[in-house]
Amino acid sequence: GESVGLHLPTLSVQEGDNSIINCAYSNSASDYFIWYKQESGKGPQFIIDIRSNMDKRQGQRVTVLLNKTVKHLSLQIAATQPGDSAVYFCAGVLDNAGNMLTFGGGTRLMVKP
Amino acid sequence: DTEVTQTPKHLVMGMTNKKSLKCEQHMGHRAMYWYKQKAKKPPELMFVYSYEKLSINESVPSRFSPECPNSSLLNLHLHALQPEDSALYLCASSQYDSSTEAFFGQGTRLTVV
């Protein structure tokens, strides 16, 4: 089965609200996770990363939370803006995938004005 | 400069054609990757070059042939492709390996007719 996966294919939020995008990973150790944003017709853009020795990491308007107990990862976007509309992928370096970066299925975030 | 440059942006080729996709980065990264992305799907790893040597080939058909002429350049040679090979081909690079942040290019949109 899939080693990294997202919970919801589509998320619709109101402009100004906070967004939470979730991701789960399989029963294998991982040292490193990355969230990417992909806009239509473009390549994935790095947003934020986190290593397994951390539970939380913050960037500009984004926070990534890692819960190793339940093997769950989330991306929180504060004060969501129309420019945040895109597909968001979580990716992890999994030891059952040859220690290569494996992408989850992606969540499309739609921001309503 | 955190840019990975891919050319061409779009390519239409017949099943008997030979073409090449090109990727360039000047960040001093020693790992470079080719990914294939079908519509509404996450990127899938095809090849990994580490220090200019092919380290991973994810069971990709021989009609795709990668080449790494030097540490800044990565090519993907295409020959006798099938219509189902139509996809977005993404190049990425990271400093040493997959445990460090990977930067993606904008991709080449390939259509095989």
Side-chain angles (χ1 to χ4, degrees):
Chain A
E2 196 173 49
S3 298
V4 180
L6 272 74
H7 291 295
L8 287 175
T10 304
L11 176 65
S12 183
V13 300
Q14 203 71 37
E15 181 179 356
D17 287 352
N18 295 335
S19 304
I20 300 177
I21 301 172
N22 295 302
C23 185
Y25 58 99
S26 65
N27 190 26
S28 69
S30 175
D31 183 52
Y32 188 50
F33 294 96
I34 306 177
W35 281 101
Y36 284 96
K37 171 186 180 183
Q38 188 173 25
E39 295 174 277
S40 181
K42 295 185 178 181
Q45 178 188 358
F46 174 92
I47 302 174
I48 192 168
D49 59 2
I50 190 167
R51 297 201 178 272
S52 57
N53 60 353
M54 303 172 72
D55 298 321
K56 178 179 180 179
R57 191 155 188 235
Q58 288 185 287
Q60 189 177 13
R61 280 201 308 118
V62 295
T63 301
V64 55
L65 299 177
L66 176 62
N67 186 329
K68 295 178 285 293
T69 302
V70 295
K71 300 193 184 297
H72 183 268
L73 187 72
S74 69
L75 177 69
Q76 301 178 5
I77 304 173
T80 312
Q81 301 168 2
D84 295 326
S85 295
V87 177
Y88 289 81
F89 291 99
C90 67
V93 177
L94 303 175
D95 61 9
N96 66 353
N99 285 315
M100 297 312 304
L101 193 63
T102 303
F103 282 77
T107 291
R108 178 170 295 281
L109 176 65
M110 297 189 294
V111 182
K112 295 178 288 187
Chain B
D1 179 12
T2 57
E3 198 169 299
V4 176
T5 304
Q6 290 188 243
T7 54
K9 288 188 167 46
H10 301 273
L11 179 62
V12 179
M13 61 184 291
M15 289 188 283
T16 58
N17 291 159
K18 283 186 181 179
K19 296 286 184 182
S20 297
L21 309 184
K22 297 187 182 301
C23 175
E24 191 169 358
Q25 57 87 13
H26 295 288
M27 295 177 277
H29 288 177
R30 304 314 301 267
M32 296 186 75
Y33 313 83
W34 280 114
Y35 283 82
K36 173 183 178 180
Q37 186 177 26
K38 300 285 276 186
K40 300 186 189 304
K41 296 290 187 182
E44 294 180 352
L45 184 65
M46 298 175 72
F47 300 105
V48 180
Y49 272 84
S50 178
Y51 290 83
E52 300 154 54
K53 289 190 174 10
L54 182 64
S55 62
I56 291 182
N57 173 345
E58 291 286 348
S59 302
V60 178
S62 60
R63 57 185 184 267
F64 296 91
S65 175
E67 178 197 18
C68 188
N70 60 54
S71 60
S72 300
L73 295 174
L74 187 66
N75 299 322
L76 186 62
H77 302 298
L78 314 173
H79 174 55
L81 294 195
Q82 303 297 310
E84 58 266 28
D85 296 322
S86 299
L88 181 68
Y89 287 84
L90 293 161
C91 174
S93 71
S94 60
Q95 190 169 13
Y96 300 117
D97 56 26
S98 56
S99 67
T100 55
E101 178 183 339
F103 293 90
F104 281 80
Q106 296 300 301
T108 294
R109 174 72 60 191
L110 175 67
T111 303
V112 181
V113 296

